């Protein structure tokens, strides 16, 4: 009997995998876990032969867990995730870390037929897989491994997207032109608008009254949620951090950057580090150069970047400098930016 531990933060997926796998005479799901920390306890207690592992989970992502698992307690793993289409970067990384196989979840609804055909076969193959010292996998009798030379990894491309926007002079009007056209299911958006501290809260409230998305002044520790826009509070920098597969805000002071606090560069640089290819960056009208280097960092990490054009800008300073340093993927008039944000985020979700 092949003992399986199912690790996935979705209760529906855990229930479905358990039901389908338990239909097989040679497979038994001995336990489930909604995150890697619970999985670690279950592994010690239940001693499974095979683990099915999602990649997007709270507290620790699946690739980080897989790396630690192969180093300290190697067990055959089948990755089951919407982030692992064939030959994707995440799929190749998972295999490099020691996963026996990677199975892509169907798009919007789980297919029982696909589970029966692919995942069950993968679990059976994993149960007789062994690891050599380089973590390549062969379908032979299991043997022990020392776990040396496990490559480090972090989850790069995820289904959790984020949009970062920077603006200054003329930006309030520009944001009032862009935000009301954004749909409620848009990925979370974070904005730095150069503005005195007494105005950011009321500005957010005014935008919220005319937008489909929820708009609020950001607070320290706010999760970046789909359908929500977070505006940096005046006199505070806003940074984006990542925990597991989710993003949250860090609000702090510190010295002004380009004479600004909040600074667009501070936000963009943090998004480049936390989200990389999962981000879209937008730089709007404004005086000076704040945001240009940060937008370039985002682009170099794989983000799509948009700059407002000169004709529609009140002051063509920040977008101009960003364009000159090569940080802008496409330059658009203000009237086209909301549609571009929607279309680019959809492309990234594919």
């Amino acid at each position: 009997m092949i003992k399986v531990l199912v690790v996935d933060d979705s209760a529906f997926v855990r229930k479905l995998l358990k039901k389908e796998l338990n239909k097989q005479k040679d497979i038994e799901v001995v336990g489930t876990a909604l995150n890697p920390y619970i999985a670690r306890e279950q592994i010690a207690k239940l001693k499974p032969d095979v683990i099915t592992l999602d990649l997007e989970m709270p507290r620790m992502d699946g690739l980080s867990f897989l790396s630690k698992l192969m180093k300290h307690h190697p067990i055959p793993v089948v990755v089951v995730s919407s982030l692992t289409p064939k030959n994707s970067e995440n799929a190749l990384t998972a295999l490099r870390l020691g996963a026996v196989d990677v199975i892509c979840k169907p798009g919007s609804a789980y297919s029982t037929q696909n589970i029966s055909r692919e995942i069950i076969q993968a679990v059976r193959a994993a149960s007789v897989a062994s690891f050599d010292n380089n973590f390549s996998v062969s379908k032979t009798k299991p043997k022990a491994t020392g776990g040396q030379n496990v490559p480090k990894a972090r989850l790069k491309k995820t289904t959790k997207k984020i949009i970062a926007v920077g603006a200054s002079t003329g930006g309030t009007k520009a944001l009032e032109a862009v935000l009301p056209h954004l749909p409620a299911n848009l990925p979370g958006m974070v904005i730095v608008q150069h503005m005195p501290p007494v105005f950011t809260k009321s500005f957010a409230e005014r935008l919220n009254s005319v937008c489909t998305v929820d708009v609020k002044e950001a607070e320290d520790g706010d999760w970046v949620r789909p359908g929500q826009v977070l505006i940096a509070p005046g006199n505070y920098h806003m940074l984006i951090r990542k925990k597991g597969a989710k993003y949250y805000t860090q609000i702090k002071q510190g010295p002004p950057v380009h004479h600004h606090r909040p600074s667009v560069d501070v936000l963009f640089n943090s998004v480049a580090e936390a989200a990389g290819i999962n981000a879209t960056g937008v730089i709007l009208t404004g005086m000076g150069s704040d945001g240009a280097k940060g937008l370039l960092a985002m682009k170099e990490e794989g983000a799509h970047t948009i700059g407002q054009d000169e004709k529609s800008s009140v002051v063509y300073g920040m977008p101009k400098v960003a364009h000159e340093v090569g940080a802008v993927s496409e330059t658009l008039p203000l009237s086209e930016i909301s549609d571009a944000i929607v279309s680019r985020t959809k492309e990234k979700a594919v």
Side-chain angles (χ1 to χ4, degrees):
M1 185 69 71
I2 303 167
K3 297 188 295 182
V4 178
L5 174 66
V6 174
V7 185
D8 197 299
D9 67 339
S10 166
F12 170 74
V13 173
R14 294 196 303 271
K15 181 177 180 180
L16 185 57
L17 284 176
K18 182 176 181 179
K19 176 183 176 182
E20 294 302 316
L21 289 171
N22 279 342
K23 288 180 180 179
Q24 311 307 306
K25 294 181 179 180
D26 59 336
I27 299 175
E28 178 188 6
V29 175
V30 293
T32 63
L34 61 84
N35 65 51
Y37 292 91
I38 296 174
R40 184 174 58 189
E41 297 174 359
Q42 296 283 63
I43 289 168
K45 178 182 178 181
L46 302 172
K47 296 179 172 52
D49 301 310
V50 177
I51 296 173
T52 69
L53 178 66
D54 189 19
L55 294 187
E56 287 188 289
M57 290 178 291
R59 300 183 67 187
M60 182 189 297
D61 68 68
L63 288 181
S64 298
F65 177 63
L66 180 62
S67 177
K68 293 176 184 294
L69 184 69
M70 291 302 160
K71 182 178 180 180
H72 300 292
H73 197 129
I75 296 173
V77 172
V78 176
V79 170
V80 183
S81 174
S82 57
L83 298 175
T84 53
K86 186 178 180 181
N87 296 326
S88 73
E89 182 178 5
N90 287 321
L92 297 175
T93 300
L95 291 170
R96 178 170 58 88
L97 289 171
V100 177
D101 203 350
V102 290
I103 306 296
C104 185
K105 292 179 183 177
S108 58
Y110 245 89
S111 164
T112 302
Q113 183 178 1
N114 284 344
I115 289 174
S116 298
R117 185 178 65 252
E118 295 184 51
I119 298 179
I120 291 170
Q121 290 178 358
V123 165
R124 286 176 176 147
S127 71
V128 294
S130 63
F131 304 87
D132 63 22
N133 286 332
N134 293 318
F135 290 92
S136 60
V137 180
S138 60
K139 296 175 182 177
T140 57
K141 185 178 178 180
K143 62 180 179 181
T145 175
Q148 291 89 3
N149 302 321
V150 179
K152 293 182 179 179
R154 64 185 178 95
L155 195 59
K156 292 185 177 180
K157 191 169 185 179
T158 80
T159 61
K160 302 295 188 295
K161 310 304 175 185
I162 188 171
I163 304 156
V165 181
S168 187
T169 311
T172 56
K173 291 293 184 183
L175 291 169
E176 288 173 354
V178 171
L179 267 60
H181 299 287
L182 300 177
N185 63 347
L186 191 78
M189 176 181 285
V190 288
I191 296 175
V192 162
Q193 164 67 54
H194 295 157
M195 182 178 283
V198 294
F199 296 125
T200 48
K201 184 176 177 62
S202 59
F203 178 58
E205 290 172 350
R206 185 168 79 249
L207 283 172
N208 190 56
S209 69
V210 297
C211 292
T212 304
V213 290
D214 292 326
V215 186
K216 69 181 289 284
E217 184 184 60
E219 299 176 67
D220 189 51
D222 276 342
W223 292 107
V224 180
R225 300 187 293 104
Q228 185 175 72
V229 176
L230 299 173
I231 297 179
N235 203 36
Y236 288 87
H237 291 306
M238 178 168 69
L239 298 87
I240 298 303
R241 303 303 189 193
K242 189 176 183 183
K243 187 174 184 179
K246 296 182 178 181
Y247 308 109
Y248 67 95
T249 61
Q250 181 182 14
I251 306 299
K252 67 177 188 177
Q253 289 205 304
V257 177
H258 301 293
H259 308 289
H260 293 292
R261 188 172 58 211
S263 162
V264 181
D265 265 335
V266 170
L267 173 65
F268 283 176
N269 280 320
S270 70
V271 172
E273 181 179 353
I277 196 172
N278 305 294
T280 297
V282 183
I283 192 160
L284 300 175
T285 175
M287 187 177 295
S289 62
D290 189 25
K293 291 182 178 179
L295 194 70
L296 180 60
M298 288 181 63
K299 185 180 179 184
E300 288 175 343
E301 289 295 324
H304 184 80
T305 58
I306 300 169
Q308 187 175 349
D309 71 358
E310 182 175 7
K311 186 175 181 180
S312 66
S313 296
V314 173
V315 178
Y316 190 55
M318 288 162 48
K320 179 183 179 182
V321 177
H323 177 77
E324 289 173 345
V325 300
V328 177
S329 302
E330 61 176 340
T331 299
L332 296 172
L334 185 64
S335 60
E336 296 180 15
I337 287 178
S338 56
D339 286 344
I341 290 171
V342 173
S343 63
R344 298 305 177 268
T345 52
K346 284 182 178 178
E347 286 175 8
K348 285 179 176 290
V350 172

